[in-house]
Amino acid sequence: IKFSASFASRFLRAMSPLQVAGLMAAAPAGSRFSAGFDTMVMKLCQAGPERLMVITDFDQTLTTYFGKDGLPGDQCHDIMLRRFDDRVMSNLPDEVQQTFQDFDEWNTITAAERLARSDNDPAKQAVIGRRFFDAFHHLSAQHQLSRFAPACLAKSNVRVRDCLEKTFAWLNRWDVPFLVVSAGLRELLVPILEKSGAPLPSNTVLLSNSLEEAAVSVTSPEKVHALKLVPEFMSRAEGRTQVLLLGDKPSDCNPLAGLPDTPALKIAFLGEPSEEKFEQYLKIFDAVLVGDASMDFVNCLLDTVSNTVSTVRHTSDASIMV
């Protein structure tokens, strides 16, 4: 029996639910998926890598929740706040020392404790958090603290997720526009990736803060405005109709506000799962990965996208004989 190329294409794409089932099985045990996950994956496969853009957070998304030593892993600001040489710190002005101490304490307490200290007012909590960011960056720029970043990083327990280099290799191979939106620090983010053997892909736009700039460019609540700040990325992503978003908290999805009409498959890395967290995350994300997951699931998804399209295109050049 001879089938036309167009029928072959539709037939192969009809196999996507089987691929989706295999993909879900590749996720770490205990991971969960939204009801619409399979539909979003099939849309991604049908669009293919040439129609895809990827947006990601950095801390605890591309890096792990637990560090090299099994303790909670450092985020970018933690590296400066906690890994500073005591002798060097003692020679800095009292204002710097006090700001570091206060900011580190604020970062260390739980989200519930931060909210309680803010009179249970999320808006007030955001103002307090922003005040710490502003003070830190003002002092960092004033006292040129970026010169101490390499020494602080050398003491850090931060580590990137396993197989991240494969993710970046796929993005390079398909020249997919890649946007990193992070409240972290450029002077640490880039070397963390490079030292781990996973330098940023060639088609990357990085939106983050800098130790050398007094002005804060990114905070979690303000990620909603991220795409307005990166016209270069929007130019690179012109004609792209699908988004893959990676994050570890709901606010990491905020950049999608700048793409209201673009379908997005959203994947979360959840460091400390609970029923309450699952309920919260599955209202926003399509897949919630647990167990401090490697990038294997994401890589399997990307391979499914490229392999499906490659197979469909191959059959479009010829008929199928049965």
Side-chain angles (χ1 to χ4, degrees):
I1 303 171
K2 184 176 181 179
F3 296 104
S4 69
S6 60
F7 177 86
S9 175
R10 291 194 300 272
F11 174 78
L12 286 167
R13 288 181 180 178
M15 294 177 65
S16 291
L18 296 178
Q19 294 175 316
V20 173
L23 175 63
M24 294 170 72
S31 300
R32 298 189 189 179
F33 303 87
S34 70
F37 174 76
D38 54 347
T39 300
M40 293 303 304
V41 171
M42 285 189 280
K43 286 183 178 179
L44 227 60
C45 290
Q46 289 167 353
E50 293 91 345
R51 296 290 184 180
L52 178 66
M53 64 182 103
V54 178
I55 300 175
T56 187
D57 174 50
F58 179 74
D59 287 317
Q60 298 186 345
T61 297
L62 301 185
T63 61
T64 54
Y65 186 81
F66 292 104
K68 299 173 183 176
D69 54 5
L71 298 174
D74 289 338
Q75 300 186 52
C76 283
H77 283 83
D78 296 334
I79 294 172
M80 297 301 295
L81 295 172
R82 300 173 188 172
R83 307 299 179 177
F84 225 100
D85 186 277
D86 290 340
R87 292 170 297 177
V88 174
M89 178 61 72
S90 65
N91 291 323
L92 292 172
D94 291 344
E95 183 184 14
V96 175
Q97 298 181 48
Q98 189 63 53
T99 297
F100 270 48
Q101 181 180 329
D102 293 345
F103 193 11
D104 186 36
E105 182 190 11
W106 179 258
N107 282 345
T108 302
I109 61 177
T110 66
E113 289 172 319
R114 285 194 289 271
L115 186 59
R117 292 191 186 186
S118 308
D119 300 325
N120 292 314
D121 183 349
K124 185 175 180 180
Q125 179 182 340
V127 169
I128 295 173
R130 178 59 189 257
R131 190 181 302 143
F132 280 122
F133 260 82
D134 287 341
F136 172 89
H137 281 275
H138 172 76
L139 293 171
S140 177
Q142 181 181 353
H143 297 283
Q144 301 178 321
L145 298 187
S146 61
R147 58 199 161 114
F148 302 113
C152 292
L153 179 55
K155 297 180 181 180
S156 176
N157 70 347
V158 66
R159 68 184 180 94
V160 305
R161 295 194 183 276
D162 290 342
C163 300
L164 180 61
E165 74 283 356
K166 295 181 180 178
T167 310
F168 286 178
W170 190 96
L171 295 175
N172 270 327
R173 182 164 63 251
W174 291 97
D175 196 30
V176 173
F178 184 55
L179 174 63
V180 180
V181 182
S182 172
L185 301 165
R186 187 179 309 125
E187 292 82 3
L188 293 170
L189 186 159
V190 172
I192 286 170
L193 294 172
E194 291 179 345
K195 290 178 183 296
S196 301
L200 286 166
S202 57
N203 201 0
T204 297
V205 173
L206 172 60
L207 176 61
S208 66
N209 296 308
S210 171
L211 289 166
E212 298 177 352
E213 297 173 0
V216 174
S217 299
V218 187
T219 64
S220 290
E222 294 164 352
K223 287 186 176 183
V224 68
H225 306 298
L227 295 184
K228 296 180 181 178
L229 304 176
V230 285
E232 179 186 359
F233 176 77
M234 298 307 294
S235 177
R236 296 185 188 190
E238 186 176 0
R240 303 277 171 159
T241 59
Q242 300 286 326
V243 181
L244 172 63
L245 182 135
L246 309 177
D248 67 278
K249 53 190 175 298
S251 61
D252 293 332
C253 297
N254 286 352
L256 295 176
L259 297 165
D261 301 320
T262 305
L265 175 63
K266 302 177 289 292
I267 298 176
F269 294 89
L270 182 55
E272 293 186 306
S274 66
E275 286 302 319
E276 182 181 2
K277 281 287 184 69
F278 274 127
E279 182 178 357
Q280 176 190 10
Y281 276 50
L282 286 171
K283 291 178 181 177
I284 301 168
F285 291 96
D286 301 291
V288 181
L289 308 181
V290 298
D292 225 359
S294 72
M295 296 300 289
D296 280 346
F297 175 82
V298 174
N299 294 339
C300 186
L301 168 64
L302 295 175
D303 285 340
T304 300
V305 170
S306 55
N307 290 343
T308 301
V309 171
S310 296
T311 303
V312 169
R313 286 179 181 169
H314 176 73
T315 60
S316 69
D317 295 330
S319 300
I320 288 182
M321 296 294 295
V322 178

